[in-house]
Every structure is written in structure tokens, then in C-alpha cells.
Amino acid sequence: MNPILSASDIPYPATLIFNAGVAKWQGKYVMAFRNDYGGKPGSSRFKGTNIGVAFSDDGISWQPQSKPWIEWTDDEVSRAYDPRITIIDDLCYLSFAIDTLHGIRGGIAVTHDFDKWEILSLSAPDNRNMVLFPEKLHGKFMRFERPLPIYGRNAPEKFDLWFSDSPDCYYWGNTQLVLASEQVPWANAKIGPGAPPVKTPEGWLAVFHAVTVDKSKKLPAWHPDWFKTYTVGLMLLDLEKPWVVKGMYQEPLMVPTEKYEQEGFRGHVLFPGGLILEDTGEVKIYYGAADTVECLATAHVDDLIALCKTRTGCRDKRDSIDIVNAAVNSSDWM
Ligand code: BMA
């Protein structure tokens, strides 16, 4: 089955098709994907990046539109990329990153037709991996975000996963640390939000990416010196306080094992951007593989929730598990 979308499926210039957002909308599945184009396979230079759209009846076979949707370049912005899609009250929201002359910004936009789009907010730099929750809580939009604090964390890439909320999608506040990178036992560098989380009776089920750097092991890539492995982590968040982690699977849920995950522009990279809970209990996990193709994995929601109940080895943000547990009921678990 995998990859489910790659450059050869696209009817316009495309080299790398990856890091897509996926949602169910108006009886179909819709995907917004990143396309780095204008480079030959094997080269590490590209002419540009755009965001394309594809539709599907089953979430597996995809029909891309005849031309790309968004390509943002101007005096300030060099590209928009890594889109996620969230449906809230039947409206389609797109979150994305932009590279600008003055840093990386996270954006949120709304669209009615995957043609016109209206930008609602752009963060201050450096921030990216904005991901909207599919519901409001007490009238407020909720999002994950991932600032990039180079100076403040005293390390090159110790970036963490944050939450904030907003009454209108323009003004964001109530900023809370959700998961610190040092809480992820198998990773030694940055983490970041993956897909819009799905609601279950036990909590918000969410995937995230987690990075391990091993400078002694060069990984396959189209450019020299690639040492980072991106794996997929899994956690469950409190329904009323979605910045509180109730449980986290202590091992990576997904690691790069297949050829299309280990080899490409940047090998050993899994980057989840779409999570869909079907009525059958099946969860579809969409992820970019090796920064080159888009793939799909599936699991049962009950199994994923059970994995999050693993208690052993969990580290608190401040090295004491009691602090986080104090924020949730004693019947909850971390
Ligand atoms: C991140 C982003 C993603 C990319 C990943 C792995 O920092 O740039 O778009 O998939 O690196 O290269």
C-alpha cells in the first residue's frame, strides 16, 4: 500500500511529496501536502515549495488536483510548508509554517473550498508545527505549537511541545508547556506536534514527532551529513486540561523500518500530520516518510489508548512525577 502519494502521482512539477495534513470533509477525505519541486531525485537543491491538495473516497487512493494550491513567495516570505488540516464546525482550517527573512512563523488560515484562503494569524518567530484541535473548549480554539528556543534552552535543538488557546483564532494566550523534550525517553533532541488529536472518552489521543541525533552514524540522505532519526510518539491528554499529559507510551509508536522510510531526501524520518478515527475504531495515521513520500499506518484506538497507560519510566518536566500528577485526578495516570 505504501507510499500512498509520491511525486510520480502528481500532474505538475513535483520532487518530494510529504508532511501532509489529512481530514474527513463533506463525505470525502482531503489531503494538503507539501511539494518540494524542481530538483532531481538525489539532488539536494529545489526550485521551490508549494502546497497541493488531493481528494480520496477511502483515505488510501488519492486523486491530486490538476495544479498546486498555495505557493507563497514575496519580499519577506520564501515558502509555506508542512500543512495540517482541522475541521471545526464544518469549516476547514489550515495550519502551516512559513520561512521568512525574519524567522520561521506558524500560521493559521481558513478555507471553504481549498481555493481561496484567509489567513487568521501568524505567530512571532521562531515557531512552527501549529496544529488545531478539532473542537473548541469552553468556546476557545485550541492548538499545539512548537517554539524553537535556541538561546533559552542552552542547547542547539531542545524544543518542546506547547499548548495555547484563543477566542477567535487571531489572539492566542493561556500558553502552557505540554511535553518537554527531556520527557521523551528515547529521544535526545527536539520534539513537536504531529496531527490534530482525536477525542476519545479517555482523553485526547495525540501523536508527536521525536528526534534522536547520533553524530557517530551518518544516515542515508540526498545531501551530506544527516544524523537525525525522526520517530512517532503517542500520548493521551486530559479532556478538560488538554495541556496535561495523562499518559505517554514509553517507546516510539513508529520507527523507520521500511526502505521508503529509511532512504530519500532525508532518510529515517517519520513526520505524522494526519490522524483520523473511523467509526470502526480504526485510527489512520498519515505521515511523511524520509521527507520524500506520504504514507499511511493504521491501528485500533483501544490498542493506542492501552499503550498510553504504560507507567514505567515516565519522566516529569521537572524530574518529579508528582508535579504533573497533582494537576489531574488521582485516578488518572501519567
Ligand atoms: C523539520 C521540518 C520538517 C522535516 C523535518 C525532517 O525540522 O523541516 O519539514 O520533515 O525537519 O527533515
Side-chain angles (χ1 to χ4, degrees):
M1 175 180 76
N2 277 321
I4 55 162
L5 202 68
S6 45
S8 56
D9 302 317
I10 307 300
Y12 46 85
T15 314
L16 309 174
I17 298 295
F18 65 117
N19 293 3
V22 184
K24 259 178 152 172
W25 183 58
Q26 296 185 344
K28 280 190 174 265
Y29 295 78
V30 59
M31 175 191 285
F33 55 85
R34 168 173 171 181
N35 170 26
D36 288 7
Y37 67 90
K40 289 204 177 69
S43 84
S44 56
R45 281 174 185 270
F46 300 92
K47 209 165 140 199
T49 295
N50 54 41
I51 294 175
V53 175
F55 290 96
S56 169
D57 291 325
D58 58 8
I60 300 168
S61 326
W62 292 87
Q63 292 81 47
Q65 292 190 312
S66 59
K67 49 184 185 11
W69 179 29
I70 292 167
E71 180 152 4
W72 187 352
T73 51
D74 58 30
D75 289 347
E76 175 70 15
V77 179
S78 57
R79 62 176 178 173
Y81 59 101
D82 290 1
R84 271 83 160 189
I85 302 173
T86 308
I87 314 297
I88 310 170
D89 301 333
D90 211 33
L91 272 183
C92 271
Y93 291 84
L94 188 81
S95 50
F96 55 90
I98 54 172
D99 288 347
T100 83
L101 275 184
H102 297 92
I104 301 168
R105 305 177 70 183
I108 295 177
V110 65
T111 181
H112 300 270
D113 50 13
F114 288 92
D115 178 21
K116 292 186 195 63
W117 62 310
E118 181 196 345
I119 293 170
L120 303 178
S121 66
L122 288 172
S123 74
D126 276 346
N127 202 338
R128 73 167 155 214
N129 294 306
M130 305 287 168
V131 174
L132 283 177
F133 284 57
E135 271 182 32
K136 294 179 200 168
L137 180 66
H138 309 305
K140 293 209 171 120
F141 291 89
M142 304 183 282
R143 78 177 180 197
F144 292 136
E145 59 193 283
R146 213 290 305 279
L148 290 76
I150 294 283
Y151 293 110
R153 288 283 269 146
N154 202 22
E157 282 195 321
K158 273 224 157 292
F159 309 149
D160 315 297
L161 197 157
W162 291 76
F163 170 96
S164 55
D165 64 26
S166 167
D168 50 15
C169 247
Y170 288 78
Y171 301 101
W172 292 88
N174 184 27
T175 305
Q176 312 267 358
L177 179 58
V178 178
L179 188 68
S181 50
E182 62 270 22
Q183 285 183 284
V184 179
W186 69 90
N188 65 4
K190 60 188 171 178
I191 62 168
V198 297
K199 198 178 195 180
T200 76
E202 304 249 28
W204 287 104
L205 188 64
V207 287
F208 58 90
H209 65 261
V211 178
T212 304
V213 183
D214 180 356
K215 280 277 166 74
S216 71
K217 216 167 104 192
K218 241 185 214 184
L219 297 169
W222 296 357
H223 57 88
D225 302 336
W226 179 245
F227 301 99
K228 293 181 195 169
T229 298
Y230 280 61
T231 53
V232 178
L234 181 72
M235 63 180 169
L236 198 63
L237 304 170
D238 188 77
L239 288 176
E240 277 300 305
K241 293 179 183 155
W243 55 89
V244 173
V245 180
K246 287 178 71 178
M248 184 187 74
Y249 184 36
Q250 298 301 300
E251 290 169 36
L253 177 69
M254 293 162 58
V255 296
T257 53
E258 305 302 314
K259 194 163 188 271
Y260 52 81
E261 297 172 337
Q262 295 187 339
E263 291 176 20
F265 176 58
R266 285 175 173 165
H268 292 250
V269 172
L270 306 185
F271 200 85
L275 201 61
I276 292 178
L277 174 56
E278 305 288 5
D279 293 341
T280 56
E282 181 191 71
V283 178
K284 291 189 167 74
I285 305 167
Y286 293 90
Y287 63 101
D291 280 5
T292 304
V293 292
E294 186 64 23
C295 295
L296 169 62
T298 59
H300 196 281
V301 66
D302 295 342
D303 295 336
L304 294 178
I305 291 171
L307 290 177
C308 293
K309 294 186 179 180
T310 318
R311 276 170 184 273
T312 50
C314 196
R315 287 180 264 175
D316 179 66
K317 298 179 185 94
R318 286 145 291 179
D319 274 328
S320 158
I321 227 162
D322 293 329
I323 299 170
V324 162
N325 276 351
V328 295
N329 292 334
S330 53
S331 59
D332 290 322
W333 15 262
M334 171 73 198

